[in-house]
Amino acid sequence: MNQPQPHDTDLQTAPDTLPQWLKAAGDSLRLDVLRVMKRDSFGVLELCHLLDSKQSGMSHHLKVLANAGLVSSRREGNSIFYRRAYQAPDSPLSSLQQALFATLDTEPLTGTLAERLKDLRRDRALASRSFFAENAHKFRAQQDLIASYPVYAEQVGQLLANTPVPGRRLALEVGPGEGEFLPILAQQFDRVVALDNAARMLERAESLIQAHSLTNVETILGDTRTLKLHHTQADCIVVNMVLHHTPSPADIFQDLSAALVPGGALLVTDLCRHEQTWARDACGDLWQGFEPDDLSLWASEAGLREGQSVYFALRNGFQIQLRQFFQADGLNDRSSFTEGATHG
């Protein structure tokens, strides 16, 4: 895709910002920082490890990038995580920034950097799996602290009922928890697959499958990368309250996009961004929810079209977002779910 080119008038309207921007983009290490942030966010110490830099030096580089508007930060528990910042479309430097990111994204990571990034994501995933392995027996009680399944079940069921799909051959649920949503999928699809990377959690889902005699439901132990090995092509994929436990949510969108048939639907339920840091320790959360724009960006980068959205607040201060995305063929234009509805 051709990127829009900056115009002379654009640059003339930002005389103070442009020197900062060019300075920030004129250092090879800072370019590597932006390169690894293609689809993820990182803490300072993580970036130090990835790029073999001292903390004081990395903090300086991040400050330069932040002052230039190339990265933004957000607090996750006791840590600050940094990610690429995107200029508003009408910003004078928007076109120049898009061109920079597009150029960086065409260059592969060096072997060492790619391996370190792979190790980092494996460590994040291991921390999440370990939490659920140790706490599977009290999963329901921990979920109830934030948003138990009954809190959002009706809305997810309604979203599914109002989502056009190309067929009813296969549905996939990623991270089914104790399996409460599997009977609903089993009624609507010929075959259902439940995918989870935590063996003890998958055992709990299997117990529900047996109790409800769901003969068309099978389980797979693994993460979303496993789907490629199984040549999964689903008409519908459901991800309920899972993304905030995953090491790289943007990569999840990439994996799931590849596992959808043309016109297939991806339904995501997750927390909106919040500041209740206790959830990280109590519930094994890696991320404190997401801004709606985060999910929109990751879906777009994965080649998915955005459908309808619904947001509703809970009494405990959390807010939930239900999102609908499609593999491109125009099916999302026929969706009838109420966009932007808010429920107290």
Side-chain angles (χ1 to χ4, degrees), residues 136-203:
H137 62 287
K138 51 183 179 180
F139 171 79
R140 186 180 297 275
Q142 288 165 326
Q143 284 297 95
D144 287 347
L145 294 173
I146 299 179
S148 60
Y149 171 74
V151 169
Y152 56 85
E154 181 179 353
Q155 286 85 357
V156 177
Q158 182 184 354
L159 179 61
L160 177 64
N162 287 280
T163 297
V165 291
R168 296 285 171 174
R169 296 174 295 275
L170 174 63
L172 166 70
E173 182 170 13
V174 179
E178 295 189 336
E180 296 101 324
F181 199 65
L182 293 175
I184 296 175
L185 292 173
Q187 291 177 353
Q188 301 188 34
F189 292 87
D190 298 335
R191 177 170 164 247
V192 178
V193 172
L195 173 73
D196 205 307
N197 66 355
R200 291 191 180 180
M201 291 306 304
L202 204 59
E203 290 172 2

Side-chain angles (χ1 to χ4, degrees), residues 74-77 145-146 241 244 270-281 283 285-292 294 316-321:
R74 61 186 258 183
R75 181 171 293 277
E76 297 285 346
L145 294 173
I146 299 179
M241 303 298 285
H244 60 272
D270 217 289
L271 298 172
C272 292
R273 172 68 183 171
H274 65 84
E275 301 302 330
Q276 301 195 46
T277 58
W278 58 266
R280 293 172 63 86
D281 294 329
C283 304
D285 295 3
L286 292 178
W287 310 106
Q288 292 174 206
F290 308 100
E291 299 290 350
D294 291 338
N316 59 7
F318 291 98
Q319 187 178 23
I320 291 180
Q321 53 183 313

Side-chain angles (χ1 to χ4, degrees), residues 60-269:
H60 169 73
H61 287 301
L62 290 170
K63 182 177 180 180
V64 172
L65 289 168
N67 288 340
L70 289 171
V71 301
S72 61
S73 63
R74 61 186 258 183
R75 181 171 293 277
E76 297 285 346
N78 295 323
S79 301
I80 302 295
F81 277 71
Y82 293 84
R83 58 177 293 176
R84 286 183 182 179
Y86 288 86
Q87 300 281 340
D90 59 350
S91 168
L93 293 176
S94 176
S95 297
L96 195 59
Q97 183 192 60
Q98 290 178 34
L100 172 65
F101 288 166
T103 300
L104 291 176
D105 293 344
T106 63
E107 301 177 16
L109 300 177
T110 63
T112 300
L113 182 53
E115 281 300 314
R116 289 177 179 174
L117 185 58
K118 182 179 178 181
D119 291 342
L120 171 63
R121 288 173 174 164
R122 184 171 59 241
D123 290 343
R124 287 180 178 178
L126 178 60
S128 180
R129 286 199 302 271
S130 297
F131 178 88
F132 285 104
E134 296 170 3
N135 296 277
H137 62 287
K138 51 183 179 180
F139 171 79
R140 186 180 297 275
Q142 288 165 326
Q143 284 297 95
D144 287 347
L145 294 173
I146 299 179
S148 60
Y149 171 74
V151 169
Y152 56 85
E154 181 179 353
Q155 286 85 357
V156 177
Q158 182 184 354
L159 179 61
L160 177 64
N162 287 280
T163 297
V165 291
R168 296 285 171 174
R169 296 174 295 275
L170 174 63
L172 166 70
E173 182 170 13
V174 179
E178 295 189 336
E180 296 101 324
F181 199 65
L182 293 175
I184 296 175
L185 292 173
Q187 291 177 353
Q188 301 188 34
F189 292 87
D190 298 335
R191 177 170 164 247
V192 178
V193 172
L195 173 73
D196 205 307
N197 66 355
R200 291 191 180 180
M201 291 306 304
L202 204 59
E203 290 172 2
R204 300 180 77 85
E206 289 169 345
S207 295
L208 184 141
I209 292 170
Q210 294 176 5
H212 287 74
S213 300
L214 304 179
T215 57
N216 62 334
V217 180
E218 61 186 88
T219 61
I220 296 178
L221 178 62
D223 57 29
T224 53
R225 293 172 297 181
T226 309
L227 298 173
K228 184 181 297 185
L229 301 176
H230 291 269
H231 306 289
T232 302
Q233 288 290 277
D235 296 288
C236 181
I237 299 177
V238 178
V239 188
N240 286 330
M241 303 298 285
V242 170
L243 281 182
H244 60 272
H245 294 298
T246 62
S248 179
D251 285 343
I252 301 297
F253 275 88
Q254 296 285 332
D255 295 339
L256 297 184
S257 177
L260 281 171
V261 300
L266 170 62
L267 308 182
V268 178
T269 304

